[in-house]
Amino acid sequence: MRSPRKLALVAGVIAASLLVALLVLPLLFQDRITTRLKSEINSAVDARVDWSGVGLSLLRDFPNATVTIDRLSVVGVKPFEGDTLVSMRHARLVLAAGSVVRHLVSGDRIIVREVVLEQPDVRLRVLVDGTANWDIARSEEPVAHDDSQAIRVALRDFRISDGRVTFDDAHSRLEASVVGLDESLRGDFSEKQFVLATRTRADSVSVRFGGLPYLNRVGLELNADVDADLPANRFTVKDGSLRLNKLMLAFAGSVTAGTPDLGLDLKFSTPGTAFADILSLVPAIYAKDFEEIRTSGTMSVAAQVRGAYGPNAFPALAVRAKVENGAFRYPSLALPARDIALELAIDNPGGHVDNTVVDLKRFHAVIGRRPLDARMVVRTPVSDPDVDARVVGALDLADVGRTVKLEGVQELSGRVAANVAMRARLSDIDAGRYERVDARGTVHATRIAVRSAALPHPIAIDTAALRLTPSTAELTRFAAKVGSSDVRAAGSLDNLLGFLLRDEDLRGRATVSSSQLDLNEWRSDDALTVIPVPPRVDFALDASADRVLYGALTVANVRGGVRIKDQRATLEDLRMEMLRGSVIASGYYETTVPGRPGFDIDLRLATVDIPAAFASLTTVQALAPVARWARGTVSGTVGLRGSLGEDMMPVFAALTGKGAIETDRLVLQDAPVLGKLADALSLEPLRNPSLGAVRAAFDIVDGRLHVKPFDVAMSGIAMTVAGSHGIDQSLKYDLGLAVPRATFGNAFTKLASQARRAGAELNGGEVVNIGALVTGTVGDPAVRPDFAGAGTSVRNVAQQVVQAGVERRTAAIQEKADSAAAEARRRARAEGDRLVAEAEQQAGKIRAEARTLAANVRQEANVRADSLQARATNPAARIAAQVTTDRLRREADQQAERIEREGNERADALVAQAKLRADALVSH
């Protein structure tokens, strides 16, 4: 009886031991495996591979082994420094544990039961020279392998969930993006020949080739059974189906994987002929109640791609699309779009993408009662775009709104007419050979009104007229209103084609005027937002405005020059009437750093009303808080440099500048500091004094205003003032006063007694010299009398004030040149160290954020371009919009590359600037 119990006990111990081993072994070796795995992978590739966690479980899918990886990332190195090649939220690999053991024992195949990739983001790039960012394997000496020992793998289930893939080939100007990718793949990779079943779905697919959009945010579904021949690296499809929105394409052919080229031999055709199928490729129409649209007409699409595709090869291709007698109408809208015809041919004999010819032989449509016709041929799209295009027609925008459902549009009216023809090579435009350019025609817009939920204010264009010539585009008339702001303009654009077709600045000159410009209409949630200066614009403007509103400020009769270039608006003696006086402004405002505008402005003030300035300007409230209690006017010069926050308010802690002001007469009423001074010195006339002429100079360093010593007469009392105050409202001032004896009255005895207790003696002459130290804050100041250096003669007042003040200040300014050279240097060094430390920390963030920002810029531009293309409600409009969307994407790519390139420069400049500011603090 004991023997079976012993056996059961032994079996239980063994089972428990195995269970513990299955639980503990992965935990014991996980960190070691992870460290070794990262080291091996990073030594084998020219990239930085990382993940946040790896899991190994023998129990989760027992008897299978499960490996999981979280937050996987593969980041490139030069020339793709900082580019993320792959990022993934989660990956899971399930292996049949028995098959692994059998492989190790007998070389049998390994069975992969499941591979799941969750939210992978793959970004593929090819540079102009053909270098690909996915070519990251380090070259090693070839190692001879025994084919009989090759690892055989049977893949049962491969899935991708919610993936994203982008492809940007600058070498052949091919761009593609896939969003919301779900993939299911099955096949036995252990066999040399097998059937690979693929089921693919994507929410949005976009393709641009040679600068032209071919697919724009199209839903995709692909089903194919592929005959895979691994020894030949050939994959053949006999009956594949590809659905693009409602357009169904049948395809067949093969893809052969080679080094470095892919061999392509594919044919596409449309089984159906309904016009509605191709109409579904227009995003603006497909996205809104497409199922209810009534259509008529026929269409056909056929394509063939054959040849090698790679860094130095391009296949032959032929695409044909045709629409005849097309029409569509929403039952809920009044008008149809009719007589739609399209004939498009795209050909390339092979060899290079530059051999592509896009020929829109005909486009015709009638919206309402007005026809629109267009044709276009594009040759050599990469090296030297040769464009021959013409657009003739008119649109009544109200008819557009009665034909197509426009999301969020409350009002749309007006008329646009165009008769434009252009034949030009971009090289001729670049070289200024305008005699070879044939550009002519006009575009007119009248009585346009737009109200939409996407626009903060209604737009009304009374009239706009553009005339094209070979060298310029002349804006002969423009009058518009946005909200309560109106704009009138006339001028010329000197490089419109270079701007549209290449990444060149749009140059021009214009006269712009307005009777009212309300910048408050840029407010969002009661706060001003950053007003951007557009990139790639080189404009000289003669600007004038009768009235400009900005916050609580009203400015009148604005006149002057504005130069816009490199995302900087430079003011050239911009004159304006404001704050019951006048101001002349010179300097610049720039938005080269997104969300962080910079400025450097010099102002000349003439009789500006102080109460009005304090009430209207946050800068005055922060830098001159005593203006709250002042009455009078001020003139002078002020120079300020710094940056603005996202609310368009100055970042006071980083503000620097200098200035000099003067007043003829000033009244200070109920100022706390003078009330405390009157109490401390028993001098009632100081409580609400009238000041004589004031001449004062100051410096601003990192948000603190330092006032240089100046003299002022205050209700019969001579006073010398020097010191500083901060944005935090803190006060540090030295005052030297020469007070007529009679002004003290009976209070002199009390003050003299107070002086004796302090070890000093007040003179009994006609003028009493006394000092005061002011600390605390503007709202709650502290005043302490200083009896040192009291003099006896009116004649020596200035000297004694300067001696009892300045010598003390020379022992307080030389204490501030010792104590400001000790204290200020110490504080400056400490502050400088803080600034440099913060700058270095911010520099690290800038370098990291530059990569993210570059990706966001590309994405935002794609969204804008897609939105622009979506608003083109018919094929002609889509072709007309293609140049603009191409420009947007190229501009974004240029800006993104510039951001990435300048990230380190900006970070280094930030640290250098912090060091310079620290040095400036010490030298100050």
Side-chain angles (χ1 to χ4, degrees):
M1 294 295 296
R2 296 178 61 187
S3 179
R5 288 214 300 262
K6 285 183 178 180
L7 290 174
L9 180 61
V10 170
V13 170
I14 293 174
S17 298
L18 286 173
L19 180 61
V20 170
L22 291 174
L23 288 169
V24 173
L25 284 176
L27 298 176
L28 290 177
F29 295 102
Q30 180 171 306
D31 290 343
R32 189 180 302 175
I33 293 172
T34 298
T35 302
R36 179 64 181 271
L37 190 58
K38 281 187 181 180
S39 175
E40 291 294 330
I41 291 176
N42 279 289
S43 65
V45 299
D46 286 321
R48 293 190 295 275
V49 182
D50 198 5
W51 54 79
S52 64
V54 172
L56 173 62
S57 173
L58 300 176
L59 288 178
R60 176 175 175 174
D61 294 290
F62 187 79
N64 301 316
T66 301
V67 180
T68 59
I69 300 178
D70 293 322
R71 303 294 177 187
L72 172 69
S73 67
V74 181
V75 179
V77 296
K78 292 182 179 179
F80 300 99
E81 183 70 38
D83 279 359
T84 299
L85 172 60
V86 177
S87 64
M88 194 179 312
R89 191 180 73 85
H90 182 75
R92 184 170 74 255
L93 169 67
V94 180
L95 299 173
S99 72
V100 176
V101 174
R102 288 192 298 274
H103 172 77
L104 295 175
V105 173
S106 61
D108 201 0
R109 64 182 181 175
I110 295 175
I111 297 176
V112 180
R113 294 195 174 276
E114 186 179 66
V115 176
V116 179
L117 308 181
E118 295 182 8
Q119 295 182 358
D121 187 351
V122 182
R123 305 176 185 181
L124 307 175
R125 287 184 62 196
V126 180
L127 301 181
V128 175
D129 62 4
T131 305
N133 70 340
W134 62 84
D135 186 12
I136 60 175
R138 291 181 177 169
S139 56
E140 298 178 354
E141 292 297 324
V143 179
H145 292 284
D146 184 355
D147 290 341
S148 65
Q149 299 299 317
I151 297 176
R152 296 188 299 144
V153 177
L155 177 63
R156 298 288 174 83
D157 189 10
F158 174 85
R159 298 195 307 274
I160 294 175
S161 174
D162 194 18
R164 179 185 181 93
V165 180
T166 58
F167 179 75
D168 183 0
D169 187 345
H171 179 73
S172 60
R173 296 190 68 196
L174 174 62
E175 303 169 56
S177 67
V178 181
V179 179
L181 173 66
D182 292 329
E183 170 71 34
S184 175
L185 194 68
R186 291 176 179 268
D188 190 347
F189 284 83
S190 64
E191 301 295 332
K192 293 183 178 180
Q193 294 182 334
F194 61 96
V195 175
L196 181 65
T198 178
R199 304 294 180 262
T200 306
R201 191 197 66 80
D203 294 334
S204 174
V205 176
S206 297
V207 177
R208 296 175 62 82
F209 176 61
L212 300 177
Y214 289 83
L215 296 177
N216 185 10
R217 295 185 291 118
V218 170
L220 175 146
E221 186 176 324
L222 182 147
N223 297 301
D225 292 332
V226 182
D227 292 333
D229 184 347
L230 295 186
N233 285 327
R234 182 178 295 108
F235 302 87
T236 304
V237 180
K238 293 181 179 178
D239 298 304
S241 66
L242 173 63
R243 181 182 59 79
L244 304 173
N245 285 350
K246 291 292 184 179
L247 178 64
M248 185 65 71
L249 295 173
F251 70 95
S254 64
V255 177
T256 303
T259 303
D261 299 335
L262 286 175
L264 303 175
D265 188 356
L266 297 169
K267 291 183 179 181
F268 298 83
S269 62
T270 51
T273 60
F275 170 62
D277 294 347
I278 200 168
L279 182 65
S280 73
L281 299 183
V282 181
I285 295 177
Y286 184 68
K288 192 65 177 174
D289 300 330
F290 182 77
E291 298 298 335
E292 75 173 44
I293 298 178
R294 298 171 183 171
T295 63
S296 61
T298 61
M299 68 88 198
S300 62
V301 176
Q304 181 173 357
V305 181
R306 188 171 188 176
Y309 173 75
N312 297 299
F314 196 83
L317 64 87
V319 179
R320 298 291 182 271
K322 191 171 186 178
V323 173
E324 293 181 323
N325 300 316
F328 69 88
R329 180 175 182 174
Y330 290 88
S332 58
L333 297 180
L335 295 176
R338 54 190 174 85
D339 296 341
I340 299 172
L342 171 103
E343 189 173 354
L344 174 67
I346 303 171
D347 292 286
N348 188 314
H352 196 279
V353 64
D354 210 31
N355 297 330
T356 303
V357 176
V358 179
D359 187 359
L360 178 64
K361 300 176 183 294
R362 181 186 181 220
F363 173 80
H364 175 80
V366 177
I367 307 293
R369 297 186 304 275
R370 292 180 170 82
L372 181 66
D373 291 274
R375 63 168 181 79
M376 180 179 67
V377 179
V378 179
R379 299 179 178 85
T380 58
V382 177
S383 63
D384 186 13
D386 182 352
V387 180
D388 184 358
R390 183 171 186 181
V391 177
V392 179
L395 282 176
D396 186 325
L397 298 185
D399 286 347
V400 173
R402 290 191 287 265
T403 303
V404 179
K405 288 191 174 182
L406 303 173
E407 187 70 31
V409 177
Q410 291 94 32
E411 180 183 4
L412 182 64
S413 62
R415 186 171 181 269
V416 179
N419 187 346
V420 176
M422 180 186 70
R423 174 67 192 269
R425 279 187 176 272
L426 198 58
S427 58
D428 292 331
I429 297 169
D430 291 342
R433 296 187 292 265
Y434 297 117
E435 70 279 1
R436 300 185 183 180
V437 176
D438 183 11
R440 62 190 183 281
T442 59
V443 179
H444 291 278
T446 55
R447 303 294 183 186
I448 291 178
V450 181
R451 276 193 309 116
S452 168
L455 298 172
H457 301 283
I459 296 175
I461 300 176
D462 182 66
T463 181
L466 187 71
R467 185 169 69 90
L468 294 181
T469 70
S471 60
T472 63
E474 297 179 1
L475 184 65
T476 56
R477 293 190 309 278
F478 182 82
K481 192 171 184 178
V482 179
S484 63
S485 303
D486 64 273
V487 178
R488 297 174 300 281
S492 63
L493 306 176
D494 298 332
N495 193 35
L496 181 60
L497 294 179
F499 176 74
L500 294 174
L501 300 177
R502 282 198 177 171
D503 297 329
E504 296 181 358
D505 287 352
L506 178 62
R507 299 187 300 269
R509 185 174 191 89
T511 299
V512 180
S513 62
S514 174
S515 58
Q516 175 169 291
L517 190 60
D518 189 353
L519 298 180
N520 294 318
E521 292 178 339
W522 293 79
R523 287 180 181 271
S524 175
D525 297 328
D526 296 326
L528 287 170
T529 56
V530 171
I531 301 174
V533 181
R536 296 177 52 232
V537 171
D538 183 357
F539 251 64
L541 302 177
D542 294 323
S544 64
D546 297 336
R547 189 172 182 229
V548 178
L549 305 178
Y550 182 84
L553 187 65
T554 299
V555 183
N557 295 324
V558 179
R559 302 288 185 274
V562 180
R563 176 73 181 273
I564 300 174
K565 186 177 183 181
D566 298 330
Q567 290 188 276
R568 172 183 287 185
T570 302
L571 310 181
E572 301 168 352
D573 287 335
L574 193 68
R575 299 169 182 268
M576 61 199 86
E577 297 173 7
M578 57 187 292
L579 306 172
R580 302 175 188 170
S582 63
V583 176
I584 300 175
S586 297
Y588 66 79
Y589 163 84
E590 64 181 6
T591 54
T592 53
V593 179
R596 190 81 165 181
F599 68 93
D600 186 339
I601 194 81
D602 290 314
L603 304 173
R604 285 177 279 168
L605 316 176
T607 62
V608 168
D609 183 70
I610 295 173
F614 184 86
S616 302
L617 300 176
T618 304
T619 305
V620 174
Q621 297 168 12
L623 296 179
V626 74
R628 178 192 298 270
W629 300 282
R631 301 292 181 270
T633 62
V634 64
S635 300
T637 60
V638 177
L640 296 174
R641 298 181 301 280
S643 59
L644 303 177
E646 292 185 356
D647 58 355
M648 293 293 286
M649 291 294 105
V651 180
F652 290 108
L655 196 63
T656 60
K658 62 181 179 179
I661 60 168
E662 59 182 47
T663 67
D664 293 331
R665 186 174 179 276
L666 205 62
V667 174
L668 292 174
Q669 196 164 19
D670 299 326
V673 67
L674 293 179
K676 291 287 183 72
L677 183 63
D679 292 339
L681 300 180
S682 301
L683 289 172
E684 195 61 26
L686 292 179
R687 195 171 301 279
N688 292 299
S690 294
L691 283 66
V694 174
R695 306 287 185 273
F698 58 86
D699 292 322
I700 302 169
V701 179
D702 292 333
R704 194 163 188 89
L705 189 145
H706 300 264
V707 178
K708 299 176 182 179
F710 70 91
D711 299 323
V712 61
M714 186 178 293
S715 294
I717 298 170
M719 182 185 294
T720 298
V721 182
S724 69
H725 60 267
I727 300 304
D728 59 0
Q729 306 287 285
S730 62
L731 300 174
K732 291 182 182 178
Y733 276 96
D734 295 312
L735 307 179
L737 296 89
V739 186
R741 168 69 181 271
T743 304
F744 283 105
N746 296 331
F748 179 78
T749 303
K750 176 183 175 182
L751 198 63
S753 174
Q754 187 179 350
R756 283 192 293 275
R757 287 196 299 273
E761 191 71 35
L762 289 182
N763 65 301
E766 294 180 4
V767 174
V768 178
N769 299 315
I770 192 170
L773 304 176
V774 180
T775 56
T777 64
V778 173
D780 186 19
V783 177
R784 181 170 62 84
D786 183 2
F787 300 105
T792 58
S793 168
V794 175
R795 184 175 300 171
N796 293 328
V797 167
Q799 291 177 350
Q800 287 166 352
V801 168
V802 172
Q803 224 112 355
V806 173
E807 276 183 2
R808 181 175 45 72
R809 273 195 313 276
T810 311
I813 282 179
Q814 252 184 329
E815 229 171 79
K816 260 180 196 173
D818 287 344
S819 180
E823 166 85 6
R825 280 195 190 97
R826 182 186 63 75
R827 283 189 297 104
R829 287 194 185 100
E831 178 70 6
D833 291 343
R834 182 187 68 79
L835 289 172
V836 171
E838 286 184 357
E840 288 173 343
Q841 186 177 9
Q842 292 174 6
K845 291 180 180 179
I846 287 174
R847 293 185 179 100
E849 290 173 357
R851 295 190 294 270
T852 302
L853 180 61
N856 290 342
V857 166
R858 287 189 177 101
Q859 171 135 11
E860 288 173 7
N862 283 333
V863 171
R864 288 176 55 206
D866 290 346
S867 175
L868 180 64
Q869 194 72 27
R871 289 197 300 270
T873 56
N874 53 63
R878 288 174 56 201
I879 292 171
Q882 68 192 12
V883 175
T884 303
T885 55
D886 185 31
R887 175 184 62 78
L888 284 173
R889 287 188 170 92
R890 285 202 309 262
E891 173 187 331
D893 192 54
Q894 181 190 40
Q895 185 180 0
E897 289 179 359
R898 186 184 69 196
I899 289 170
E900 292 170 332
R901 184 177 64 252
E902 293 179 354
N904 286 334
E905 295 176 6
R906 291 186 182 281
D908 294 340
L910 185 65
V911 176
Q913 185 181 13
K915 290 178 180 177
L916 287 174
R917 285 167 58 192
D919 292 341
L921 284 173
V922 174
S923 62
H924 180 77

